[in-house]
């Protein structure tokens, strides 16, 4: 397993546009949404890094911006890394899809789309997954209001 | 909600844009062999499957949204209802992530109890899987033989945890109560019974030529595909992907136990079947190692009544009976999670099914669904 | 006492009834009509009781093989359970789909039941006790059972439902394929005994059953007959057409109530017929177990009434066929047809050649 400090040293030069955070359990890489594809491609296809497993794809609503969080795993070295893509535009958020790299991202991105309203460009089949087809609103956003919701 | 569920189910499927000779049928949502409310839209050409589209959401209960309003002690209780056959392991995952956030060290006795319960849960889940596999493929009797043993395990859980299926036994800090006085004796008895009867499990289905013909070569999943889809658990291990969380990212003291990770290169239904059978043997081995050596001590560490995790993010992965469950908590320092995401193993396993079933027949699809062993509430959450 | 017991047999009952009636009525149409009505009513009553009994047997056998009791509440030891189920079925609303072909929809189950019942005619339940001593008994039974496929196809087609159609087509393909193996297995014993008449076949087994006399080829023919007949009557492990875990219930999806009960009735009658044919042709029918020229042994065996022999053998084979259902998983449609065309049929054909050779050379017992 590659320690997060060593990983940080290796990535600091090669990924100039990102900021890094090692306060948590794993190395967190913060990047802007427009550069996410190049960062992911780099992490996935560089032979010494080889992060070939995407084990979690989700989003977090931070009120003034949205974060799309990718958890990557390298099966050979059993190293985990977290990539966070920051989307400033909360009215019409969009980001590149990674379903061409990982087939499992297809359904995961559909779920993020319906829950947060984030559009994934070039996704083959971006429709709602768990909710009904004519549901309005994005339930997991913090400003989601539904008349049927009851405060506990 | 904008229109009722009944309208959604009876909505007509437009098939005028399909090429000549192809037609679309629905399997589910109520169907004996989809293991829950899974709706598959299958496009067929004669008997051959061209394309499958899963339609999900029939049991979506917005667990992730609910967790944002519940405290750190409360949100564990609703996770039993996700993958209800590994309920204890789900609860342990949530308890572990809270303990990771608080930096809490739990006593050895609690760790041993959690592992024992987890392996008993895994055994019970695989027994139900074995019975249902027989049932789906037409052999009715294995179902009863599987439940003969499973009933004993569930009774043991009821004595200690108070519930048969949704145990809610793990809490942040350890386990909720101490073991029942009869626990050790009952577990030894059921383990002996399992070892005596294990040849029935191997011979009744696995030794039958009809079963072998229906599962060998059916539903092949390559290793690259298994990694790409994010599959985990026995399904990925049957395609040669080494992904047992108990080995690679151990928790709760698994690193001290001696057990093997079962891998198979076959990638078809027969390989998945054999991997799960061998995993049952490994679970029995783990229980045998621990049952006589449960450490003495506290069963719960001292924690405050109201738990507050510091600002930050925490991820904990565990090995349920179906694969790798991940609990991802983003905390802003309050008493409830700011964002709680459950990375469910069945979600990723489901996404591989259209690929595996393409080109086969409906009978093959039934065999694939039986050996992939999905639990739908885990997918919909 | 011994003479009293030996006079109570079906043969004597039938002949004393016949002599009583011919004293009452003049010979000719009236006598014939009355006897036919009596025979018909007895047969129908027998079939109804048989189906109740077979249904009960199936559920008890299934229960005990699965470590549970089976029905044991309704009636003494659960014997009235099937009566209760039949009453429930009869009280159900029989829905006919709107766009179904009404005439064919009603005709389907009737064809299936009628052909099943017609095939009982040449069977001998006891010594000299059969409905119709036709000289081409084996051919008659084979051809009448083949007509049942028409009923299934009619039922599936007229339901106007793509699942029923799929189920009916699969069923039709399966039945038509397996008829060949059934026929060839029966032909093996016809060659041995030299006659198509079921009575002659039973009489020829008076010095031993063909299963033992015909050694290896007869054993092969017997095994193939049992496998192929299980496929003919759409029972597990060949019940793909009705499997609930596939797509609904196959060709009888749209049927409810009385018409569905008729399909169930036909399935159990078919089960009985197939076992009875196997018992008659391979195991001697009502002929007790005789071993060659061991007079003392044969004499002792003769004390057991012939109807007991017949029903004992038939229910033994029925039990084996039920045992298959609760043990094996189901075959897929292409594996099913593969089994017939690539394995059973070539083996049957080679078997026929062997049987012919053995008969010409008198190499059987």
């Amino acid at each position: 397993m590659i320690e997060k400090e060593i990983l940080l040293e290796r990535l600091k030069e090669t990924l100039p546009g990102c900021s890094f955070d090692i306060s948590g359990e794993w190395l967190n890489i913060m990047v802007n949404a427009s550069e996410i594809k190049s960062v992911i491609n780099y992490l996935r296809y560089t032979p010494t890094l080889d992060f070939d497993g995407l084990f979690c794809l989700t989003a977090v609503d931070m009120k003034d911006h949205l974060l799309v969080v990718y958890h990557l795993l390298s099966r050979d070295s059993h190293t985990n890394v977290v990539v966070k893509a920051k989307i400033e535009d909360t009215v019409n958020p969009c980001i590149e899809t990674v379903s061409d790299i990982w087939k499992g991202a297809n359904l995961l991105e559909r779920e993020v789309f319906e829950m947060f309203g984030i559009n994934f460009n070039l996704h083959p089949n971006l429709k709602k997954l768990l909710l009904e087809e004519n549901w309005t609103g994005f339930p997991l956003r913090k400003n989601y209001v539904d008349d049927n919701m009851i405060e506990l | 909600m904008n229109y009722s569920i009944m309208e959604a189910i009876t909505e007509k499927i437009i098939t005028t844009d399909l090429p000549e000779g192809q037609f679309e049928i629905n399997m589910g949502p109520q169907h004996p062999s989809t293991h829950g409310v899974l709706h598959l839209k299958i496009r067929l050409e004669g008997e051959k499957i061209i394309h499958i589209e899963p339609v999900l959401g029939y049991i979506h209960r917005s667990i992730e949204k609910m967790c944002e309003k519940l405290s750190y002690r409360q949100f564990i209780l609703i996770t039993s209802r996700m993958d209800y056959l590994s309920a204890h392991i789900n609860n342990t995952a949530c308890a572990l992530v809270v303990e990771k956030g608080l930096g809490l060290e739990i006593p050895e006795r609690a760790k041993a109890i959690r592992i024992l319960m987890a392996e008993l849960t895994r055994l019970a889940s695989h027994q139900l899987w074995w019975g249902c596999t027989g049932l789906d493929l037409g052999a009715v009797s294995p179902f009863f033989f599987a439940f003969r043993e499973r009933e004993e395990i569930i009774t043991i859980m009821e004595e200690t945890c108070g519930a048969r299926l949704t145990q809610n036994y793990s809490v942040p800090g350890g386990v909720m109560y101490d073991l029942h006085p009869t626990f050790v004796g009952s577990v030894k008895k059921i383990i002996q019974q399992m070892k005596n009867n294990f040849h029935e499990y191997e011979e009744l289905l696995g030794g039958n030529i009809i079963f072998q013909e229906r599962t060998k070569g059916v539903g092949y999943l390559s290793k690259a595909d298994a990694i790409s889809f994010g599959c985990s658990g026995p399904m990925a291990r049957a395609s040669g992907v080494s992904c047992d969380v108990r080995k690679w990212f151990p928790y709760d003291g698994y690193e001290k136990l001696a057990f093997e990770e079962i891998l198979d290169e076959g990638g078809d239904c027969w390989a998945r079947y054999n991997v799960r059978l061998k995993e049952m043997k490994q679970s029995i081995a783990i229980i045998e190692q621990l049952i006589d050596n449960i450490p003495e001590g506290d069963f719960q560490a001292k924690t405050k009544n109201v738990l507050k995790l510091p600002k930050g993010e925490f991820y904990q992965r565990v090995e349920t009976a179906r694969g790798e469950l991940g609990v991802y908590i983003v905390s802003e320092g309050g008493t409830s999670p700011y964002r709680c995401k459950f990375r469910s193993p069945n979600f990723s396993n489901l996404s591989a099914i259209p690929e595996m079933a393409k080109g086969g027949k409906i009978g093959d699809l039934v065999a694939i669904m039986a050996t992939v062993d999905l639990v739908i509430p885990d997918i919909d959450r | 006492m011994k003479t009293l017991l030996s006079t109570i047999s079906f043969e004597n009952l039938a002949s004393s009834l016949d002599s009583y009636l011919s004293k009452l009525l003049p010979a000719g149409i009236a006598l014939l009509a009355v006897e036919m009505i009596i025979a018909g009513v007895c047969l129908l009553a027998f079939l109804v009781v048989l189906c109740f009994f077979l249904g009960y047997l199936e559920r008890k056998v299934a229960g005990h093989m699965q470590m549970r009791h089976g029905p044991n509440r309704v009636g003494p030891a659960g014997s009235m359970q099937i009566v209760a189920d039949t009453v429930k079925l009869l009280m159900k609303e029989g829905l006919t789909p709107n766009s179904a072909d009404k005439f064919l929809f009603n005709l389907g189950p009737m064809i299936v039941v009628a052909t099943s019942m017609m095939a009982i005619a040449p069977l001998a339940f006891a010594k000299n006790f059969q409905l119709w001593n036709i000289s081409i008994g084996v051919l008659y039974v084979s051809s009448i059972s083949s007509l049942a496929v028409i009923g299934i196809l009619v039922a599936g087609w007229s339901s106007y439902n793509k699942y029923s159609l799929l189920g009916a087509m699969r069923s039709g393909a399966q039945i038509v394929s397996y008829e060949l193996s059934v026929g060839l297995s029966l032909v093996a014993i016809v060659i041995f005994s030299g006659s198509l008449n079921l009575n002659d076949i039973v009489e020829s087994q008076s010095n031993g059953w063909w299963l033992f006399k015909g050694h290896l080829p007869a054993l092969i023919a017997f095994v193939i007959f049992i496998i192929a007949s299980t496929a003919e009557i759409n029972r597990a492990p060949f019940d793909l057409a009705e499997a609930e875990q596939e797509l609904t219930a196959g060709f009888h999806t749209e049927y409810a109530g009385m018409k569905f009960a008729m399909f169930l009735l036909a399935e159990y009658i078919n089960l009985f017929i197939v076992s009875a044919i196997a018992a008659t042709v391979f195991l001697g029918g009502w002929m007790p177990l005789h071993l060659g020229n061991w007079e003392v042994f044969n004499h002792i065996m003769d004390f057991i009434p012939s109807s007991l022999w017949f029903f004992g053998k038939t229910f033994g084979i029925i039990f084996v066929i039920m045992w298959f259902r609760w043990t094996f998983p189901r075959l897929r449609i292409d594996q099913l047809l593969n089994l017939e065309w690539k394995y059973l049929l070539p083996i049957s054909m080679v078997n026929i050649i062997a049987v012919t050779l053995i008969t010409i050379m008198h190499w059987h017992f």
Side-chain angles (χ1 to χ4, degrees):
Chain A
M1 184 156 92
I2 310 175
E3 294 296 331
K4 53 186 176 178
E5 291 83 9
I6 302 173
L7 199 57
L8 175 64
E9 288 307 313
R10 282 163 64 171
L11 291 176
K12 254 203 307 212
E13 294 91 51
T14 45
L15 297 174
C18 314
S19 54
F20 299 86
D21 178 10
I22 51 168
S23 58
E25 190 186 353
W26 301 320
L27 174 66
N28 281 18
I29 305 174
M30 238 79 69
V31 65
N32 267 326
S34 45
E35 283 136 49
I36 186 65
K37 206 55 192 288
S38 55
V39 172
I40 298 267
N41 272 325
Y42 178 74
L43 290 170
R44 167 76 178 89
Y45 292 115
T46 310
T48 47
L49 294 172
D50 194 26
F51 284 102
D52 58 348
L54 169 77
F55 62 89
C56 187
L57 200 168
T58 184
V60 187
D61 180 4
M62 306 297 276
K63 296 201 177 110
D64 55 345
H65 62 270
L66 290 163
L67 279 179
V68 180
V69 184
Y70 302 79
H71 284 75
L72 302 176
L73 167 70
S74 164
R75 290 204 179 266
D76 285 329
S77 58
H78 292 96
T79 318
N80 299 289
V81 79
V82 182
V83 181
K84 291 188 185 162
K86 186 167 168 179
I87 305 178
E88 296 284 352
D89 182 6
T90 54
V91 175
N92 206 2
C94 51
I95 191 174
E96 284 259 9
T97 182
V98 295
S99 53
D100 47 343
I101 307 179
W102 290 287
K103 296 186 197 169
N106 195 321
L107 288 184
L108 286 164
E109 285 178 349
R110 275 175 71 180
E111 191 190 347
V112 170
F113 161 68
E114 72 177 343
M115 293 291 174
F116 288 91
I118 300 175
N119 274 306
F120 287 89
N121 300 332
L122 301 178
H123 190 278
N125 186 21
L126 200 63
K127 313 192 289 201
K128 289 198 197 299
L129 186 68
L130 298 174
L131 300 173
E132 290 147 20
E133 267 152 26
N134 49 4
W135 191 284
T136 50
F138 304 113
L140 279 177
R141 293 257 194 125
K142 291 292 174 185
N143 54 3
Y144 176 70
V145 184
D146 189 333
D147 296 327
N148 294 326
M149 273 164 69
I150 306 171
E151 191 65 39
L152 287 173
Chain B
M1 268 217 300
N2 293 355
Y3 66 96
S4 70
I5 293 288
M6 274 315 293
E7 282 177 89
I9 294 177
T10 54
E11 194 180 295
K12 254 179 38 184
I13 296 154
I14 302 165
T15 53
T16 50
D17 52 348
L18 285 178
E20 188 68 45
Q22 290 185 5
F23 61 102
E24 203 170 80
I25 59 173
N26 290 314
M27 189 166 169
Q30 294 104 330
H31 194 271
S33 73
T34 50
H35 298 286
V37 276
L38 176 63
H39 178 189
L40 292 175
K41 281 191 193 169
I42 309 175
R43 195 176 301 160
L44 294 174
E45 185 164 4
E47 283 264 355
K48 206 167 70 145
I49 297 178
I50 306 286
H51 178 66
I52 296 184
E53 189 189 322
V55 177
L56 303 171
Y58 286 91
I59 193 164
H60 175 64
R61 294 150 295 174
S62 61
I63 288 187
E64 292 179 0
K65 183 85 180 172
M66 280 202 282
C67 285
E68 292 175 9
K69 301 282 180 166
L70 296 172
S71 75
Y72 284 107
R73 286 193 184 275
Q74 286 173 324
F75 89 107
I76 300 180
L77 309 176
I78 54 174
T79 56
S80 310
R81 276 120 182 116
M82 285 189 337
D83 179 358
Y84 47 79
L85 292 175
S86 319
H88 176 263
I89 309 181
N90 296 351
N91 294 338
T92 310
C94 298
L96 282 168
V97 77
V98 172
E99 283 154 17
K100 190 182 269 195
L102 294 172
L104 196 60
E105 195 56 48
I106 64 169
E108 290 298 317
R109 184 176 174 82
K111 285 186 185 172
I113 295 177
R114 273 186 185 170
I115 295 187
L116 274 171
M117 283 296 181
E119 293 308 313
L120 282 173
T121 307
R122 198 184 313 275
L123 206 56
S125 170
H126 284 331
Q127 279 163 351
L128 185 134
W129 157 80
W130 185 79
C132 288
T133 299
L135 202 61
D136 286 345
L137 291 180
V140 183
S141 305
F143 190 73
F144 293 93
F145 296 124
F147 271 71
R148 177 186 56 193
E149 265 86 55
R150 184 165 192 254
E151 195 60 34
E152 307 289 331
I153 295 183
I154 302 284
T155 313
I156 293 174
M157 292 200 175
E158 186 183 6
E159 282 173 349
T160 302
C161 315
R164 287 161 56 99
L165 195 68
T166 53
Q167 283 96 20
N168 290 334
Y169 189 45
S170 290
V171 290
V175 291
M176 210 186 267
Y177 323 100
D178 205 353
L179 290 173
H180 197 267
T182 59
F183 182 79
V184 175
S186 312
V187 169
K188 281 191 178 158
K189 203 165 124 211
I190 181 64
I191 292 299
Q192 191 53 44
Q193 188 180 330
M194 267 304 288
K195 282 159 80 166
N196 291 344
N197 289 339
F198 204 77
H199 68 97
E200 275 177 22
Y201 285 74
E202 284 167 341
E203 287 163 10
L204 187 56
L205 275 186
N208 191 316
I209 181 88
I210 301 178
F211 183 82
Q212 289 175 8
E213 289 297 311
R214 279 202 72 176
T215 49
K216 280 188 182 164
V218 167
Y220 177 68
L221 185 69
S222 64
K223 183 169 174 178
D225 271 344
I227 299 179
S228 181
F229 280 110
C231 300
S232 52
M235 179 177 164
R237 291 199 276 280
S239 295
V241 178
S242 164
C243 59
D244 195 337
V245 176
R246 298 173 292 170
K247 279 284 188 203
W248 294 117
F249 305 103
Y251 52 93
D252 260 358
Y254 270 111
E255 58 269 11
K256 300 191 205 122
L257 295 169
F259 64 100
E260 286 167 23
E261 179 180 5
I262 312 288
L263 286 177
D264 196 314
E265 298 296 324
D268 56 1
C269 288
W270 177 244
R272 290 190 275 274
Y273 174 83
N274 280 329
V275 163
R276 281 207 175 86
L277 274 189
K278 289 183 190 152
E279 273 193 15
M280 281 163 81
K281 279 202 176 141
Q282 294 301 315
S283 289
I284 295 177
I286 294 178
I287 296 178
E288 277 183 323
Q289 283 171 44
L290 272 181
I291 192 67
D292 283 320
N293 310 324
I294 308 177
E296 298 297 326
D298 278 337
F299 55 86
Q300 201 182 100
K302 286 250 172 291
T303 49
K304 296 204 193 67
N305 279 337
V306 175
L307 298 172
K308 275 192 190 177
L309 257 60
K311 190 166 151 78
E313 295 169 7
F314 312 98
Y315 191 97
Q316 175 67 41
R317 31 155 72 103
V318 296
E319 178 82 11
T320 66
R322 279 155 195 85
E324 175 192 321
L325 171 73
V327 184
Y328 173 56
I329 292 198
V330 175
S331 164
E332 295 282 306
T335 53
S336 314
Y338 185 77
R339 165 90 172 103
C340 180
K341 156 85 179 164
F342 295 100
R343 184 263 181 214
S344 86
N346 292 297
F347 194 90
S348 311
N349 290 350
L350 170 75
S351 52
I353 287 189
E355 183 78 22
M356 292 199 280
K358 223 185 276 198
K361 300 186 176 41
I362 300 235
D364 293 340
L365 178 64
V366 173
I368 293 172
M369 298 279 292
T371 49
V372 164
D373 192 19
L374 296 173
V375 169
I376 310 303
D378 199 25
I379 302 179
D380 289 352
R381 278 158 285 133
Chain C
M1 191 61 182
K2 197 167 65 181
T3 43
L4 191 65
L5 274 176
S6 60
T7 52
I8 300 178
S9 68
F10 283 117
E11 176 187 6
N12 290 343
L13 263 169
S15 53
S16 52
L17 191 62
D18 177 51
S19 48
Y20 173 71
L21 278 175
S22 52
K23 286 197 206 95
L24 275 185
L25 299 164
I29 280 290
L31 183 64
L32 195 61
V34 169
E35 286 195 337
M36 274 173 71
I37 290 172
I38 292 179
V41 166
C42 286
L43 179 69
L44 285 175
F46 166 68
L47 285 178
V48 165
V49 171
L50 177 78
C51 285
F52 280 169
F53 181 66
L54 279 180
Y56 174 69
L57 184 70
E58 166 122 65
R59 290 169 73 158
K60 273 298 204 191
V61 162
H64 284 282
M65 283 188 181
Q66 293 165 354
M67 298 179 303
R68 53 190 182 88
H69 288 292
N72 63 351
R73 305 269 172 190
V74 187
S79 47
M80 293 288 123
Q81 178 72 44
I82 308 296
V83 176
D85 287 340
T86 310
V87 169
K88 176 204 81 172
L89 269 176
L90 294 180
M91 293 200 306
K92 278 199 173 181
E93 180 187 359
L95 283 171
T96 308
N98 220 0
S99 18
D101 188 326
K102 302 260 179 321
F103 174 65
L104 288 179
F105 192 78
N106 292 329
L107 189 64
M110 292 191 205
I111 296 180
V112 175
V113 172
T115 53
S116 316
M117 291 189 177
M118 271 160 59
I120 298 208
L123 288 178
F125 293 96
K127 195 172 163 99
N128 286 336
F129 188 69
Q130 64 189 136
L131 274 173
W132 189 17
N133 186 9
I134 185 173
S135 57
I136 48 163
V138 171
L139 182 60
Y140 172 84
V141 171
S142 293
S143 27
I144 293 291
S145 331
S146 324
L147 287 180
V149 112
I150 299 180
I152 292 178
L153 288 172
V154 159
W157 171 259
S158 65
S159 300
Y160 204 73
N161 177 348
K162 56 185 155 207
Y163 307 131
S164 304
L165 190 58
L166 260 178
M169 304 286 274
R170 284 173 174 171
S171 233
Q174 179 184 326
I175 293 181
V176 159
S177 316
Y178 279 92
E179 265 163 20
L180 293 166
S181 289
V182 168
L184 285 176
S185 320
L186 290 177
V187 162
I189 300 300
V190 166
I191 297 178
F192 269 134
S193 64
S195 160
L196 281 170
N197 190 339
L198 280 173
N199 263 342
D200 286 350
I201 293 181
V202 174
E203 290 291 339
S204 68
Q205 297 182 67
S206 58
N207 61 344
W209 298 341
W210 278 121
L211 187 63
F212 306 127
K213 282 205 296 191
H215 52 87
L216 191 61
L219 186 64
I220 295 178
F222 182 61
V223 169
I224 292 182
F225 182 84
I226 297 288
I227 297 176
S229 311
T230 320
E232 279 280 295
I233 53 181
N234 266 335
R235 270 186 78 90
F238 305 100
D239 62 350
L240 193 71
E242 327 172 325
E244 299 127 13
Q245 286 87 12
E246 307 289 323
L247 300 165
T248 64
F251 62 88
H252 51 71
T253 310
E254 295 288 345
Y255 287 91
M258 180 71 192
K259 301 195 184 84
F260 183 69
M262 286 165 93
F263 280 117
L264 245 53
L265 189 77
E267 180 179 325
Y268 282 124
I269 297 178
N270 273 334
L271 176 61
F272 176 76
I273 291 172
V274 144
S275 309
I277 297 286
T280 308
V281 165
F282 291 96
L283 294 177
W286 51 258
M287 183 66 67
L289 176 63
H290 290 163
L291 290 177
N293 297 326
W294 294 9
E295 286 302 326
V296 181
F297 179 75
N298 293 348
H299 216 64
I300 295 174
M301 288 289 127
D302 281 343
F303 273 118
I304 305 174
S306 54
S307 51
L308 210 62
W309 278 109
F310 175 77
F311 282 105
K313 291 171 202 172
T314 305
F315 279 101
I317 298 183
I318 288 179
F319 175 73
V320 169
I321 295 183
M322 282 185 181
W323 199 353
F324 287 167
R325 179 176 185 180
W326 303 111
T327 313
F328 295 130
R330 199 174 285 129
L331 272 86
R332 225 170 45 208
I333 185 72
D334 62 322
Q335 290 168 341
L336 217 147
L337 295 172
N338 256 355
L339 177 68
E340 162 62 19
W341 293 102
K342 288 193 192 165
Y343 297 98
L344 291 186
L345 189 63
I347 297 178
S348 307
M349 299 211 293
V350 168
N351 203 28
I352 294 288
I353 300 174
V355 164
T356 318
L357 195 63
I358 289 177
T359 311
I360 295 175
M361 299 295 211
H362 282 291
W363 281 343
H364 58 90
F365 291 115

